[in-house]
Amino acid sequence: MTTHDEKRETLRAALEPKSVAVIGASENPNKIGGRPIHYLQKHGFRGLIYPVNPKRSELQGLTAYPDVLALPDTPDVAIIAVPGDAAVDAVEACADAGVKVAVVMTSGFGEVDAIGGKAKEARMRAAAHAAGMRIVGPNSQGLANFGTGAVLSFSTMYLEMPPQDGPVAVVSQSGAMSGMPYALLRARGLGVRHSHATGNDCDVTAAELASVVAEDPDIRLLLLYLESIADAGPLAQLAEVARSRGLPVVALKSGRSAAGQEAARSHTGALANEDRVVDAFFERHGIWRAQSSADLVAAAEMYLKGWRPRGRRLVVISNSGAVCVMAADAATQAGLPMARLAPDTLGRLKQILPSCATATNPVDITAALLTNSRLFSDILPVLARDAAADAVAIGIPVAGQGYDLEAFARDTASFVQQTGRPTAVSASQAVVANPFRAQGLPVFATEGEAVGALAQFLSHMELMRTAQRAGSPVRAGAAGEGRRLNEAASLALAARFGVPVVDHRLCQDESQAVAALAEFGAPVVLKGCSEAVVHKSELGIVRLRLGDAAAVSRAFGEVRDVMARRGLPFEGAIVARTARGRRELMLGGRIDPAFGPVVIVGDGGKYVEAMPDARVLLWPFDEEEVLRALTRLRIAPLFAGVRDEPALDAAAFAQATMAVGRLLDEGGVVNLDLNPVLTGARGEGCVALDAVVYRR
């Protein structure tokens, strides 16, 4: 069996092959089987190229061969560009010949036929793995390494936007989404070394390939596009490689699997959908999640400067009051605090700026910049000495004749070089933007784009620092519906793993229920118990505030009768102590087939589905991570205390959350819902009042 390291070594050969065969080769460079040959020759590939076509003896100036067995030696990579079942046969022939990697460009497999197409993919994969070969695809647009000229692709994009080797890598499941970011980057003058599209990922996944690409020491930014995540392990490995190099990874995850869309049976199933889990995974591993293709490349220039920001406080400078206001609004919306400049800084700025200008942050130079071009350059050294200025946004919406734009750009570049502070410029006029670009500064059309790029970069750098401490393995496991336990069994299992649960007894008759009342003291709660029941209140089998033996006996009989009329198995009635607390919270979780144990924390009660306020945690986690998640809820202020109300017991709730993580990891549980978890003031603890557990 091929080892993990051997598999990665094989993929390295795909990125830097010494020889390439093209099966289904064409003379026409505008055909799928012809374009890779054209690209390989055009972009300086130094290895051997073997066109395979039984009908031709020569193609594009190269000797052609009838089949793989006729080649003078075994190629590292074979491009499969023949249609239908012939592609499956070609993969099997390549495996028999000892080819390392097959890039299957042929479509018509699992992407169009979930049964027959997937079966063909499985057949190819089995043949490849038996011989130690790897498959990229099928339905792959191909791989392109512009650093070596190994352009094993048929993408038209590389004709329309000429390649330039550079420090950015793009890895995508989609062909279009390998080309689109490439085009956006090239339009901004940025070089791209890797542009790979893996297609159906029947063997090599985009994440696995990206983890090998991330080893390239010249890559300083990796962009990743995913449509599905069947196994989070390769993504975690990518993050580990990236962390070891300080390499930023920006990912765009679109699409949601059927498993993620379908709510699990517990209340929290709808809250723990795949998208929330993906967010939690990316955050834990230091990967920034983009929201669109434009967002994917928005801050690219920032990442390539090698800046190591100290914080997130922003200073805005402009010759327009409107831009100052809009930039401040954009910063607030993006979560960037406006820096409070030191008194000495404010004093110096007031000495430099005219009386009509604003020295406080945002710094509005006003139209006085036209009459004194030194104003802009004079205030930068003052700001350079202020430790509160972590990053700077400069907006020059209107300028031209009469403005010393070259000096503005030169002095800004000097400021950045001296301080290392991330700086973005917004300028809609080319005459203004070009001098700044010539100095190597990131320039954007609007102040919103500039502030947004700064916010992404600063936040991502902060996230990467956190991830270096919080990286942890993926504990994937088999999911499934499982068997629902009744409430008594659910509470007992939760308690066994350390979840504090309400004092209760499962009673089989009225006398046991009355005895429970005597044990707990009035008032008590009585609930019907059955594996067939989830929402007990809606069925009319819950009785509250029972204060004496007669009330308990009567409630027991009523609940038993209601369940009988509804055809529900009666497994007894739970009599529970009436607990006291400050807030109903919610704890839940499930086993995700890709990400393993997933725990959900949030506001609880009967409105949990209608107005969800929840955060997702991936096991394993610690108490600090739970407390951090609680600060991101809408109800977060309650944990610190609001007005005359005391702070909630966040520490106790965090310990209960840890217990739920252990329960999912070790207890054979596939899904659970603890709602409500009644939480008291600090020091008073918390207690689960209800539980629904599904077990394997």
Side-chain angles (χ1 to χ4, degrees):
M1 178 178 289
T2 307
T3 67
H4 172 76
D5 289 341
E6 288 171 338
K7 288 180 178 180
R8 293 181 64 80
E9 186 60 36
T10 298
L11 288 183
R12 294 185 187 103
L15 300 176
E16 299 186 18
K18 294 182 173 61
S19 54
V20 177
V22 181
I23 300 172
S26 171
E27 176 68 24
N28 187 344
N30 290 326
K31 299 288 187 181
I32 290 178
R35 187 160 287 168
I37 298 173
H38 171 72
Y39 280 154
L40 287 165
Q41 295 188 101
K42 178 180 180 179
H43 296 299
F45 178 63
R46 296 182 180 180
L48 299 171
I49 308 170
Y50 298 128
V52 176
N53 188 324
K55 298 180 180 179
R56 302 291 295 268
S57 60
E58 182 180 306
L59 284 168
Q60 298 188 42
L62 300 170
T63 301
Y65 301 87
D67 54 47
V68 174
L69 295 178
L71 299 179
D73 57 47
T74 302
D76 287 340
V77 177
I79 295 172
I80 310 297
V82 292
D85 291 342
V88 181
D89 296 337
V91 167
E92 293 175 335
C94 288
D96 290 341
V99 173
K100 293 179 179 178
V101 179
V103 179
V104 183
M105 295 178 171
T106 310
S107 58
F109 289 88
E111 78 279 8
V112 296
D113 184 353
I115 299 176
K118 286 293 185 184
K120 291 178 182 179
E121 290 182 7
R123 175 182 159 191
M124 289 192 296
R125 185 170 57 246
H129 286 189
M133 186 177 80
R134 304 301 307 276
I135 297 174
V136 175
N139 191 35
S140 167
Q141 199 171 81
L143 313 178
N145 181 345
F146 297 109
T148 63
V151 186
L152 319 177
S153 173
F154 65 86
S155 175
T156 303
M157 188 62 75
Y158 310 140
L159 296 173
E160 303 303 318
M161 302 287 289
Q164 175 185 317
D165 188 17
V168 185
V170 181
V171 184
S172 168
Q173 286 180 323
S174 158
M177 281 305 298
S178 68
M180 189 184 303
Y182 165 91
L184 293 171
L185 292 163
R186 292 295 301 117
R188 288 155 71 162
L190 299 178
V192 178
R193 171 165 295 180
H194 296 275
S195 180
H196 307 309
T198 58
N200 290 6
D201 287 15
C202 89
D203 178 22
V204 177
T205 66
E208 183 184 7
L209 183 64
S211 71
V212 178
V213 171
E215 297 173 341
D216 187 330
D218 295 326
I219 294 301
R220 287 183 280 150
L221 173 64
L222 193 150
L223 307 181
L224 182 66
Y225 174 79
L226 301 171
E227 291 178 350
S228 62
I229 303 171
D231 178 4
L235 263 178
Q237 183 166 39
L238 163 62
E240 182 180 352
V241 174
R243 278 196 304 274
S244 70
R245 291 194 50 228
L247 172 68
V249 178
V250 180
L252 175 58
K253 166 66 174 66
S254 67
R256 298 178 182 178
S257 72
Q261 290 177 335
E262 179 155 357
R265 294 196 179 189
S266 73
H267 298 181
T268 54
L271 302 178
N273 60 52
E274 181 189 2
D275 215 43
R276 286 176 177 266
V277 178
V278 170
D279 280 340
F281 179 89
F282 283 172
E283 183 176 345
R284 160 169 283 191
H285 290 276
I287 297 172
W288 184 263
R289 187 171 189 182
Q291 301 302 313
S292 66
S293 54
D295 195 28
L296 189 64
V297 302
E301 289 94 337
M302 302 282 181
Y303 291 107
L304 302 180
K305 298 302 179 185
W307 291 327
R308 293 292 180 263
R310 302 170 305 178
R312 296 161 46 82
R313 296 166 298 181
L314 181 66
V315 172
V316 174
I317 308 169
S318 180
N319 62 333
S320 161
V323 168
C324 285
V325 173
M326 291 188 291
D329 286 345
T332 300
Q333 187 173 9
L336 291 185
M338 297 294 289
R340 295 180 65 87
L341 300 177
D344 181 62
T345 301
L346 294 173
R348 290 176 180 272
L349 290 177
K350 288 177 180 178
Q351 291 175 358
I352 296 169
L353 295 171
S355 59
C356 61
T358 303
T360 55
N361 186 24
V363 181
D364 180 9
I365 302 176
T366 74
L369 184 62
L370 177 60
T371 56
N372 183 359
S373 283
R374 288 299 311 167
L375 289 177
F376 181 84
S377 301
D378 286 346
I379 67 172
L380 288 174
V382 176
L383 293 172
R385 291 191 289 271
D386 196 313
D390 296 321
V392 177
I394 296 171
I396 306 180
V398 181
Q401 292 186 31
Y403 292 87
D404 193 349
L405 296 171
E406 297 292 338
F408 297 169
R410 186 173 58 251
D411 292 341
T412 302
S414 177
F415 165 82
V416 172
Q417 184 176 15
Q418 174 191 347
T419 64
R421 292 176 188 172
T423 301
V425 178
S426 61
S428 57
Q429 297 171 273
V431 68
V432 179
N434 289 339
F436 286 95
R437 287 198 179 100
Q439 292 289 340
L441 296 165
V443 181
F444 302 86
T446 69
E447 72 288 334
E449 293 175 72
V451 172
L454 276 170
Q456 175 181 328
F457 172 72
L458 295 171
S459 299
H460 193 182
M461 292 298 103
E462 188 174 75
L463 181 64
M464 288 174 65
R465 289 193 295 271
T466 302
Q468 288 174 352
R469 298 191 301 270
S472 55
V474 175
R475 298 193 180 184
E481 292 187 357
R483 180 180 68 88
R484 183 168 60 219
L485 306 182
N486 67 31
E487 183 182 352
S490 296
L491 287 169
L493 183 59
R496 199 164 79 227
F497 278 83
V499 177
V501 304
V502 66
D503 291 336
H504 66 281
R505 294 289 180 267
L506 178 61
C507 305
Q508 300 301 325
D509 55 37
E510 287 87 341
S511 63
Q512 291 182 354
V514 170
L517 168 67
E519 178 183 357
F520 299 138
V524 295
V525 176
L526 186 145
K527 299 181 282 186
C529 186
S530 172
E531 286 186 6
V533 172
V534 177
H535 300 287
K536 290 176 283 295
S537 297
E538 297 171 9
L539 296 174
I541 56 174
V542 178
R543 299 292 185 273
L544 305 175
R545 294 180 293 277
L546 303 176
D548 55 42
V552 169
S553 295
R554 184 169 57 253
F556 189 98
E558 290 172 351
V559 165
R560 182 177 53 199
D561 292 345
V562 170
M563 293 180 70
R565 287 197 302 270
R566 292 182 177 274
L568 298 172
F570 180 73
E571 298 166 19
I574 292 175
V575 176
R577 187 191 302 276
T578 297
R580 301 187 184 281
R582 293 281 177 176
R583 186 76 179 188
E584 291 185 344
L585 302 179
M586 174 270 295
L587 260 174
R590 65 180 175 88
I591 300 295
D592 186 282
F595 298 96
V598 175
V599 177
I600 307 95
V601 298
D603 200 10
K606 64 181 180 179
Y607 299 123
V608 67
E609 294 173 7
M611 297 184 294
D613 180 17
R615 299 291 299 185
V616 170
L617 295 159
L618 301 180
W619 183 258
F621 48 77
D622 56 22
E623 183 177 346
E624 180 182 351
E625 195 170 347
V626 180
L627 295 174
R628 190 161 58 244
L630 297 180
T631 66
R632 297 178 182 179
L633 296 171
R634 290 194 299 274
I635 63 165
L638 301 182
F639 289 97
V642 176
R643 296 175 70 92
D644 59 344
E645 295 181 2
L648 294 180
D649 200 335
F653 187 76
Q655 287 299 313
T657 306
M658 298 282 291
V660 168
R662 292 190 295 271
L663 176 57
L664 285 165
D665 192 29
E666 306 168 15
V669 170
V670 296
N671 203 316
L672 79 152
D673 178 39
L674 306 177
N675 181 33
V677 178
L678 190 59
T679 303
R682 187 175 295 157
E684 293 178 354
C686 65
V687 60
L689 304 185
D690 199 352
V692 179
V693 171
Y694 292 80
R695 203 173 189 188
R696 294 190 187 95

